[in-house]
Amino acid sequence: MDEEPLSEWAERRDARVGRLRAVPIVPGDGPRGAHLNPEDPRAVERWNGHVWEPYAFAADLAEAKRILYPEASVLPSPAPGPVRQPLAPGKGRHRKP
């Protein structure tokens, strides 16, 4: 059996440290899929290498996503360029002469 060196395993484990996840706060059997009940509050947890620890709380799924993916909330401004006209005359094979 081919075993992985301990140093490679430790590298993979350490790469996950600091990862965040949003867990719905629900009674009963525990968390379900994130897409279910998007209006329910969420607990944002952070992986410390051994266990998931509380990091933040969010009122709903949208707020939790803003915490998890802060770079997605900043939209880049579109670069100015020529306006394309999709139905303009062209030279494509499908065009009639």
Side-chain angles (χ1 to χ4, degrees), residues 79-88:
V83 177
R84 188 168 167 250
Q85 297 177 355
L87 299 178

Side-chain angles (χ1 to χ4, degrees), residues 39-74:
E39 67 282 344
D40 285 351
R42 303 287 202 264
V44 178
E45 299 175 335
R46 181 181 173 274
W47 181 250
N48 70 5
H50 301 285
V51 295
W52 290 99
E53 58 187 12
Y55 179 77
F57 292 96
D60 57 6
L61 181 59
E63 184 179 339
K65 285 185 175 183
R66 283 192 294 274
I67 295 171
L68 294 176
Y69 312 109
E71 64 279 352
S73 62
V74 178

Side-chain angles (χ1 to χ4, degrees), residues 4-68:
E4 174 183 30
L6 185 59
S7 61
E8 288 179 18
W9 173 82
E11 253 181 63
R12 276 191 304 115
R13 186 197 64 198
D14 292 343
R16 295 186 196 123
V17 172
R19 174 181 266 170
L20 298 176
R21 74 174 183 181
V23 181
I25 301 173
V26 294
D29 294 338
R32 298 280 184 217
H35 64 285
L36 300 174
N37 302 324
E39 67 282 344
D40 285 351
R42 303 287 202 264
V44 178
E45 299 175 335
R46 181 181 173 274
W47 181 250
N48 70 5
H50 301 285
V51 295
W52 290 99
E53 58 187 12
Y55 179 77
F57 292 96
D60 57 6
L61 181 59
E63 184 179 339
K65 285 185 175 183
R66 283 192 294 274
I67 295 171
L68 294 176

